[in-house]
Amino acid sequence: MKENDYSDLRAEFDEFVRGKCDTGSCETSSETDPDEEPVPGFVDELSDKLLSPYHCGAYLSRLDIKRVAEAIDESIPIKERKKMIKALFRHTTKKAYLRSAFDEFNRHFGGRVLIYQELSEAFPASKPIFDENISKIKMTQKILDQIIEDFEEIEPTDDPLNI
């Protein structure tokens, strides 16, 4: 292609954009970002606990979170892990949904426990480290169970002023 072909194409594109925006049909950033939608109060605390291997004993990758979502018939895009957790629990109103999500997380944690046990047998000098991670995983599982017990279901028709 010739150099002037690019400049002609660029001029046509600029004219098209100006014409589209001048008619008022050009949409700017008036749409709300789904990542900025409000989330239930427990989600921030939960994401801090789940996403930190120091707290929960296992690393949950973006793929792990995606697999959990798919297992409970949710579709979330792959983004930052914290945004994925928020997207997964953003519209949580039922205890059954929460239980199914946490059961999936517990399955992932169970797999990690098996891996840690296998590694601690293969490398006995590292057993205390793996045992510590296993105990953190078990504590995280207890926290998830406690969240389910404490969760209050919200009906879409409930009036928050009458509660």
Side-chain angles (χ1 to χ4, degrees):
M1 293 186 88
K2 297 180 184 175
E3 183 64 36
N4 63 353
D5 288 343
Y6 287 121
S7 60
D8 290 344
L9 181 63
R10 180 67 185 178
E12 285 180 37
F13 179 74
D14 289 340
E15 185 179 325
F16 171 75
V17 169
R18 262 187 254 110
K20 185 166 176 72
C21 289
D22 288 342
T23 62
S25 62
C26 181
E27 294 182 18
T28 56
S29 62
S30 63
E31 296 179 16
T32 59
D33 186 15
D35 293 331
E36 300 302 320
E37 289 181 19
V39 294
F42 71 92
V43 175
D44 289 327
E45 178 89 20
L46 179 67
S47 62
D48 290 341
K49 297 281 188 222
L50 282 179
L51 300 180
S52 170
Y54 176 79
H55 290 293
C56 77
Y59 179 82
L60 291 173
S61 68
R62 290 185 274 180
L63 188 57
D64 291 331
I65 299 168
K66 180 76 172 174
R67 286 181 180 150
V68 167
E70 288 175 351
I72 60 172
D73 295 328
E74 282 290 323
S75 176
I76 58 172
I78 294 181
K79 297 181 178 183
E80 294 176 30
R81 295 180 313 139
K82 193 167 192 164
K83 289 181 180 178
M84 291 176 73
I85 292 288
K86 284 183 177 184
L88 186 61
F89 294 111
R90 177 168 288 125
H91 302 290
T92 303
T93 58
K94 299 287 183 195
K95 195 179 274 194
Y97 175 83
L98 199 60
R99 179 167 303 283
S100 63
F102 287 169
D103 285 347
E104 271 310 306
F105 278 114
N106 284 333
R107 282 190 197 101
H108 281 277
F109 287 142
R112 297 304 196 292
V113 167
L114 292 175
I115 291 170
Y116 290 162
Q117 288 172 343
E118 206 174 287
L119 287 171
S120 66
E121 290 172 7
F123 304 101
S126 300
K127 186 172 178 16
I129 296 170
F130 293 119
D131 288 344
E132 181 182 344
N133 285 340
I134 290 171
S135 68
K136 286 179 182 179
I137 287 174
K138 291 182 190 266
M139 181 61 81
T140 301
Q141 289 174 327
K142 287 179 185 177
I143 290 171
L144 295 180
D145 290 338
Q146 187 65 42
I147 290 173
I148 291 172
E149 287 178 27
D150 294 343
F151 186 75
E152 294 180 16
E153 290 189 2
I154 302 169
E155 292 296 324
T157 59
D158 287 346
D159 184 10
L161 298 176
N162 290 336
I163 293 178

